[in-house]
Amino acid sequence: MKQPSLRIGILNLMHDKVDIQERFSKVLQNGPYEVEVDFFYPRSHYTGRPVPDLVQQISQPLDFRKVTEYNAFIITGAPVEQLPFAEITYLEEVHRLIDRLVEQEIPQLYICWGAMAAADYLYGIPKRLLPEKIFGVFPNFRRDPDPLLAGLPDGFLAPHARYAELDIARVAADPRLVINAVTESQRLFSFRACGQKQYFLFSHLEYGRDALLKEYRRERNAHPDIQYLKPQNYFRDPLHMKGPEFSWEHTQRTFFDNWLRSVAEQMTVNQLVKE
């Protein structure tokens, strides 16, 4: 049986845009489905200044009229989790996109900062700064069965890299939400909205082998006077920061294959309803 062809839209809010787009293209297009991926940038992020040539070459301005053309949409993380939402220039545009996705019942995958922004907007759960950045590869444990985690063992490995988190007690107490998995230290891996096509992922599962090392070097080079935390449980030789291991590769492949399968199933349901 021929697998359906899927169209996925991605609002790319990360700074390393080329790397991010290569990573998402790889994890989505090397799976079990034929997938077309389009990347967008928020117009309001460049208010009063020109859009960089590179950004224009690899992505397109967010167009709310085109949102209905996609079978699912991803809003990525962003390196702004330490800033209050009120200081984010493109937040209103993100909110408008979320409204459009919900209105059109398009499956949504929110990742890291994208998950924090969506949970704050949709469910009133604010983010808060962590005592220190959660940074490295950690085992994650199920709290509730979830089809996107099917095929993964309890204690599955995943990369985490963020300075902020939602209040897990607030998430657990909200009857509209179900926590799927957490780390041993009770940091969120993911939760979903009951009866909604919304999934909130706090791990950067799109990251490839060298992504955590690149993130560490980028932060250190930007602020050499600050002693940054090194990624944990990541190097074969932690002392010299050599030999980064891609220990979450199975988690990555399994999760994104499961997510694409859920998108394809929803597309099939939508087609049957139209008929």
Side-chain angles (χ1 to χ4, degrees):
M1 181 177 176
K2 189 176 185 296
Q3 300 284 20
S5 177
L6 306 176
R7 292 194 69 191
I8 309 296
I10 300 180
L11 183 65
N12 185 1
L13 302 174
M14 295 291 277
H15 44 283
D16 49 345
K17 296 192 181 300
V18 173
D19 277 356
I20 288 297
Q21 296 193 186
E22 288 178 351
R23 292 167 192 162
F24 274 111
S25 294
K26 181 178 180 180
V27 298
L28 296 175
Q29 294 178 326
N30 289 352
Y33 299 90
E34 181 181 330
V35 179
E36 177 186 341
V37 185
D38 290 330
F39 294 92
F40 297 88
Y41 63 85
R43 297 171 187 262
S44 50
H45 187 48
Y46 301 101
T47 301
R49 61 189 175 110
V51 181
D53 290 341
L54 177 61
V55 173
Q56 295 186 67
Q57 291 168 11
I58 64 175
S59 57
Q60 52 190 300
L62 185 59
D63 185 343
F64 298 107
R65 296 170 300 179
K66 298 185 66 173
V67 170
T68 56
E69 299 176 6
Y70 295 93
N71 304 114
F73 223 95
I74 295 172
I75 297 181
T76 73
V80 293
E81 70 263 33
Q82 297 182 81
L83 297 177
F85 286 128
E87 294 183 16
I88 308 304
T89 57
Y90 50 81
L91 186 66
E92 183 180 349
E93 194 169 357
V94 171
H95 287 170
R96 288 182 60 200
L97 173 59
I98 293 172
D99 286 341
R100 186 70 169 155
L101 295 171
V102 172
E103 173 192 302
Q104 297 297 318
E105 297 186 335
I106 296 169
Q108 305 133 53
L109 175 59
Y110 301 109
I111 299 178
C112 203
W113 182 86
M116 298 178 206
D120 177 79
Y121 181 59
L122 292 169
Y123 300 102
I125 301 178
K127 68 178 175 69
R128 61 184 186 183
L129 292 179
L130 292 169
E132 65 176 7
K133 183 179 185 179
I134 176 172
F135 192 34
V137 184
F138 303 95
N140 299 266
F141 301 90
R142 284 188 176 83
R143 290 265 294 258
D144 197 85
D146 184 77
L148 299 195
L149 305 184
L152 292 175
D154 208 26
F156 62 88
L157 296 176
H160 292 258
R162 61 186 181 276
Y163 287 95
E165 177 84 304
L166 299 181
D167 184 340
I168 191 170
R170 288 274 299 270
V171 178
D174 195 315
R176 300 169 294 179
L177 305 173
V178 176
I179 296 176
N180 306 122
V182 296
T183 68
E184 190 172 18
S185 59
Q186 298 301 298
R187 300 303 182 200
L188 288 164
F189 171 80
S190 69
F191 65 84
R192 68 163 61 244
C194 302
Q196 301 293 326
K197 303 173 180 65
Q198 300 161 357
Y199 202 89
F200 302 79
L201 176 65
F202 292 83
S203 165
H204 278 287
L205 274 186
E206 79 280 6
Y207 275 12
R209 181 191 304 274
D210 63 349
L212 292 173
L213 178 58
K214 283 186 174 182
E215 181 167 330
Y216 171 77
R217 287 174 172 168
R218 183 179 60 251
E219 289 190 325
R220 186 193 61 185
N221 292 339
H223 303 283
D225 55 318
I226 298 177
Q227 188 69 33
Y228 283 99
L229 183 71
K230 298 176 181 178
Q232 303 174 60
N233 314 314
Y234 176 50
F235 299 104
R236 285 193 296 274
D237 180 0
L239 181 62
H240 300 98
M241 294 183 60
K242 292 185 177 180
E245 297 187 283
F246 195 5
S247 56
W248 64 94
E249 184 174 15
H250 174 64
T251 304
Q252 179 189 85
R253 185 71 273 150
T254 302
F255 177 88
F256 281 105
D257 284 358
N258 287 340
W259 183 69
L260 289 171
R261 186 175 298 110
S262 73
V263 172
E265 290 171 353
Q266 185 62 49
M267 185 178 74
T268 300
V269 170
N270 292 344
Q271 290 174 341
L272 291 174
V273 169
K274 289 179 181 179
E275 294 173 0

